[in-house]
């Protein structure tokens, strides 16, 4: 199973993903990006590459799911997705691609969060005012249709509540499909 978190910049996706990896039986796929590292909790998830290195990995199929986001290349791979439970982050286009490629193995969860909260979070993680303004503006159009591609929606309250809500969603998925995705906690 592949659980994909979709949400605008600063919506809490990385925080939720990190908790799920630390506390639950979920793995993070390999992620490759051409952006510069930033002071962010998600930076240890990424392998930072030059554009040329990124394209080379695409040619060897080490990167299967690639997309351009905020002017940078992002890509991942879900090896053994039928036997490993993954949690990942994608934008709307990436979610569409994953659903087309992996079908019923993909569950999309949209994280909705007020713009002022997202702006504050981005500034606190070290993004410049210019980057925050750019991302907020870009997100307004980039995430149109997000509800159409995702299966569930979390309306962000606090990181702790968001994580609890995702765990409830995962429990529902387990019950509906007769599978165990996470350890009983």
């Amino acid at each position: 199973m592949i659980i994909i978190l979709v949400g605008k910049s600063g919506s809490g996706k990385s925080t939720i993903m990190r908790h799920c990896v630390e506390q639950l039986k979920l793995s993070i796929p390999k992620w490759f990006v051409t952006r510069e590292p930033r002071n962010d909790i998600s930076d240890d998830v990424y392998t930072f590459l030059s554009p040329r290195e990124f394209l080379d990995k695409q040619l060897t199929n080490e990167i299967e799911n690639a997309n351009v986001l905020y002017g940078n290349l992002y890509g991942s791979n879900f090896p053994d997705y039928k036997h490993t439970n993954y949690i990942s982050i994608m934008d709307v286009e990436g979610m569409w691609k994953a659903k087309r490629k992996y079908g019923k193995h993909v569950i999309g969860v949209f994280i909705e969060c007020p713009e002022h909260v997202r702006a504050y979070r981005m500034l606190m993680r070290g993004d410049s005012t210019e980057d925050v303004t750019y991302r907020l503006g870009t997100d307004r159009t980039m995430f149109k249709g997000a509800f159409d591609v995702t299966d569930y929606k979390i309306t962000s309250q606090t990181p702790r509540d968001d994580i609890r809500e995702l765990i409830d969603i995962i429990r529902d998925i387990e019950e509906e499909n007769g599978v165990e995705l996470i350890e009983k906690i």
Side-chain angles (χ1 to χ4, degrees):
M1 186 69 61
I2 303 168
I3 297 170
I4 297 179
L5 304 177
V6 177
K8 298 175 182 177
S9 300
S11 61
K13 302 175 302 291
S14 295
T15 300
I16 294 169
M17 183 176 69
R18 178 173 304 291
H19 174 81
C20 289
V21 168
E22 290 173 357
Q23 301 297 321
L24 311 174
K25 271 194 320 191
L26 298 173
S27 300
I28 299 175
K30 283 184 165 185
W31 269 100
F32 304 92
V33 296
T34 60
R35 73 163 170 82
E36 291 295 318
R38 61 180 183 230
N39 185 21
D40 185 272
I41 61 171
S42 65
D43 279 351
D44 61 343
V45 172
Y46 298 113
T47 299
F48 297 92
L49 303 172
S50 70
R52 177 67 189 169
E53 292 169 321
F54 189 97
L55 295 174
D56 287 345
K57 288 191 179 293
Q58 272 190 295
L59 290 174
T60 62
N61 290 324
E62 192 172 343
I63 297 175
E64 294 181 353
N65 309 300
N67 207 8
V68 177
L69 185 61
Y70 308 113
N72 294 296
L73 296 168
Y74 285 73
S76 65
N77 192 358
F78 297 100
D80 199 32
Y81 69 92
K82 290 184 181 177
H83 301 98
T84 302
N85 297 314
Y86 288 101
I87 186 163
S88 189
I89 296 170
M90 292 187 181
D91 67 350
V92 176
E93 184 180 343
M95 182 73 206
W96 276 115
K97 289 178 181 178
K99 282 203 173 241
R100 278 196 309 268
K101 181 168 185 159
Y102 302 109
K104 66 181 181 170
H105 298 282
V106 174
I107 302 294
V109 180
F110 184 75
I111 312 297
E112 184 175 43
C113 186
E115 191 170 280
H116 71 279
V117 173
R118 295 186 304 104
Y120 175 78
R121 289 175 178 174
M122 286 187 274
L123 290 169
M124 291 298 99
R125 73 181 183 199
D127 290 7
S128 71
T129 304
E130 295 80 20
D131 283 345
V132 171
T133 301
Y134 171 74
R135 284 174 172 260
L136 291 174
T138 302
D139 285 352
R140 286 183 200 114
T141 56
M142 183 187 307
F143 285 88
K144 285 184 179 176
F147 299 123
D148 297 333
V149 70
T150 54
D151 305 291
Y152 298 89
K153 178 176 122 180
I154 294 174
T155 301
S156 184
Q157 305 294 319
T158 67
R160 175 171 280 166
D161 289 340
D162 299 348
I163 291 162
R164 282 190 190 127
E165 193 168 344
L166 180 60
I167 290 171
D168 289 344
I169 289 169
I170 294 170
R171 295 278 183 235
D172 289 345
I173 295 166
E174 289 178 324
E175 191 173 305
E176 288 172 14
N177 295 291
V179 296
E180 184 178 330
L181 301 175
I182 58 176
E183 295 178 10
K184 304 298 180 208
I185 55 174

